[in-house]
């Protein structure tokens, strides 16, 4: 396999250092602000807020693995490979936690808007905490065995430039692509389609009582963030798997950059909170980041159905 020695750790890798540093600083600040807003929210037991709180935690855990990547790409060698592997495991586990939590948020919004009066649906939505717990158990439970599957002869010495030897094996990569990306993508597409139909068919949506364009923007933003963040990584993983016996340097470099793009999701998620969540935006506007105090707000009857995923 080509190790791309010209892209090794003997010199400063400026693109990786710059982007990882940006993600670390900006992502850390935005996600901490998000957690404070959710914590100070008088309706913090909202189902959607439960998912968003867990998503912010997953993003923060991922961000905490990035300083060592910055250190490595600054040209410092000698990092223990086991530590590199462990940090890689934590990063991947939290990346898939983010994928499943984003899918859960989209599904919760869809159920709240499409079936606002269904007792059975409301019962399902009330299980948000248990769903989040299941997501954490699934992502870490599926990632840990991959870490221990690595044989000693497969452990490389180039830390974060190591190729994902186990992850690109057919018995790992295809379940990962199907369960970790394919199913969530299909669910998000179906939920987005249902949301659009629900808005179009609603008699309220034909009046000025509901901002239909806002719902469209919310759907578009969710799908855009999901695809731009995770499609390149899984496409690169598939290419590496299909060519695992003849991996070129360009394939390896593409994989590393796709992982970098996936990490950028930790910055995009808080931005999505602001533009698609009324509660978050109201508190950010009034709190001005450093004065994040609860705001006694009144819910609008006109947009209640569109906010059901936040205020129920």
């Amino acid at each position: 396999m080509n190790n791309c020695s010209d892209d090794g750790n003997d010199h400063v890798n400026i693109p990786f250092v710059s982007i990882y540093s940006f993600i670390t600083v900006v992502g850390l600040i935005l996600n901490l602000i998000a957690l404070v807003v959710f914590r100070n929210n008088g309706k913090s037991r909202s189902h959607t807020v439960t998912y968003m709180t867990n998503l912010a935690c997953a993003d923060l855990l991922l961000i905490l693995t990035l300083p060592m990547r910055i250190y490595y790409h600054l040209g410092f060698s000698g990092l223990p490979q086991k530590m590199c592997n462990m940090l890689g495991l934590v990063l991947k586990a939290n990346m898939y936690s983010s994928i499943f939590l984003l899918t859960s948020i989209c599904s919760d919004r869809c159920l709240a808007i499409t079936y606002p009066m269904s007792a059975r649906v409301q019962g399902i939505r009330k299980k948000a905490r248990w769903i989040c717990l299941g997501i954490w158990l699934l992502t870490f439970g599926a990632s840990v065995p991959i870490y221990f599957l690595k044989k000693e002869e497969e452990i490389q010495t180039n830390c974060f430039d190591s190729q994902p030897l186990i992850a690109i094996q057919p018995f790992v990569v295809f379940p990962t692509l199907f369960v970790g990306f394919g199913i969530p993508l299909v669910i998000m597409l179906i939920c987005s389609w249902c949301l659009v139909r629900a808005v179009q068919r609603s008699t309220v949506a034909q009046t000025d009582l509901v901002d239909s364009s806002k719902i469209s923007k919310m759907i578009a933003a969710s799908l855009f963030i999901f695809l731009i963040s995770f499609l390149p990584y899984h496409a690169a993983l598939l290419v590496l798997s299909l060519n695992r016996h003849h991996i070129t340097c360009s394939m390896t470099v593409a994989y590393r950059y796709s992982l970098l793009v996936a990490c950028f999701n930790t910055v995009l998620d808080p931005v999505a909170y602001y533009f698609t969540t009324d509660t978050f935006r109201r508190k950010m506007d009034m709190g001005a980041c450093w004065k994040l105090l609860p705001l006694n707000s009144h819910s609008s009857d006109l947009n209640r159905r569109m906010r059901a995923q936040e205020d129920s």
Side-chain angles (χ1 to χ4, degrees):
M1 292 186 179
N2 194 330
N3 289 324
C4 298
S5 57
D6 58 327
D7 192 35
N9 60 349
D10 296 330
H11 62 281
V12 177
N13 191 321
I14 295 178
F16 280 80
V17 170
S18 301
I19 300 176
Y20 275 132
S21 297
F22 175 84
I23 294 172
T24 300
V25 175
V26 177
L28 184 65
I29 293 173
L30 293 181
N31 281 283
L32 285 175
I33 290 174
L35 282 179
V36 173
V37 170
F38 296 145
R39 175 67 177 175
N40 289 337
N41 183 9
K43 298 176 180 177
S44 60
R45 297 300 179 265
S46 164
H47 312 309
T48 301
V49 170
T50 298
Y51 291 122
M52 288 183 173
T53 301
N54 280 267
L55 179 57
C57 290
D59 288 343
L60 284 172
L61 287 174
L62 189 154
I63 289 169
L64 292 178
T65 69
L66 300 184
M68 291 308 300
R69 289 182 178 268
I70 296 170
Y71 178 85
Y72 172 78
H73 289 297
L74 282 171
F76 295 99
S77 59
L79 293 178
Q81 187 64 32
K82 287 186 177 180
M83 182 187 71
C84 298
N85 293 335
M86 182 60 69
L87 290 174
L89 180 151
V90 174
L91 186 150
K92 300 291 180 59
N94 283 284
M95 180 178 73
Y96 284 104
S97 294
S98 297
I99 289 176
F100 291 130
L101 288 166
L102 284 169
T103 306
S104 298
I105 291 171
C106 185
S107 302
D108 184 72
R109 286 169 171 169
C110 180
L111 291 174
I113 294 175
T114 308
Y115 304 102
M117 306 304 294
S118 172
R120 179 177 296 181
V121 167
Q122 294 306 315
I124 294 174
R125 296 185 65 221
K126 289 179 180 179
K127 294 180 172 59
R129 291 185 178 182
W130 292 105
I131 293 173
C132 290
L133 176 60
I135 288 173
W136 288 109
L137 292 176
L138 173 63
T139 52
F140 277 91
S143 301
V144 170
I146 296 177
Y147 173 81
F148 288 105
L149 277 174
K150 291 187 176 182
K151 300 177 181 179
E152 289 298 325
E153 60 269 21
E154 293 175 336
I155 299 296
Q156 302 180 26
T157 58
N158 51 342
C159 196
F160 298 119
D161 284 334
S162 299
Q163 295 167 351
L165 299 179
I166 297 298
I168 62 176
Q169 297 302 315
F171 70 94
V172 174
V173 70
F174 291 112
T176 298
L177 291 174
F178 181 70
V179 178
F181 181 74
I183 292 179
L185 177 59
V186 171
I187 292 175
M188 292 194 72
L189 289 173
I190 292 175
C191 289
S192 299
W193 178 75
C194 290
L195 282 170
V196 171
R197 282 178 61 87
V199 173
Q200 290 177 344
R201 290 186 172 186
S202 173
T203 55
V204 180
Q206 308 305 319
T207 69
D208 295 331
L209 302 182
V210 169
D211 189 352
S212 300
S213 64
K214 174 184 169 183
I215 304 302
S216 300
K217 290 177 182 178
M218 179 192 74
I219 296 170
S222 299
L223 286 175
F224 174 79
I225 290 175
F226 188 90
L227 290 174
I228 199 67
S229 299
F230 303 119
L231 180 59
Y233 172 78
H234 289 90
L237 204 62
L238 178 61
V239 170
L240 287 177
S241 177
L242 295 176
N243 298 275
R244 61 187 178 278
H245 299 302
H246 304 284
I247 296 178
T248 65
C249 182
S250 59
M251 293 178 190
T252 303
V253 172
Y255 168 79
R256 294 172 190 164
Y257 276 99
S258 70
L259 184 59
L260 185 68
V261 172
C263 292
F264 201 79
N265 173 257
T266 59
V267 176
L268 296 178
D269 285 339
V271 175
Y273 301 155
Y274 184 87
F275 285 106
T276 66
T277 309
D278 285 339
T279 301
F280 189 82
R281 182 168 56 253
R282 289 197 304 269
K283 290 182 179 296
M284 287 298 294
D285 289 341
M286 301 302 294
C289 298
W290 58 85
K291 296 166 63 176
L292 296 171
L293 300 175
L295 177 65
N296 294 322
S297 59
H298 60 280
S299 60
S300 171
D301 291 333
L302 301 181
N303 287 321
R304 181 177 299 160
R305 192 177 182 190
M306 297 301 107
R307 294 177 184 173
Q309 70 275 18
E310 296 178 47
D311 301 333
S312 61

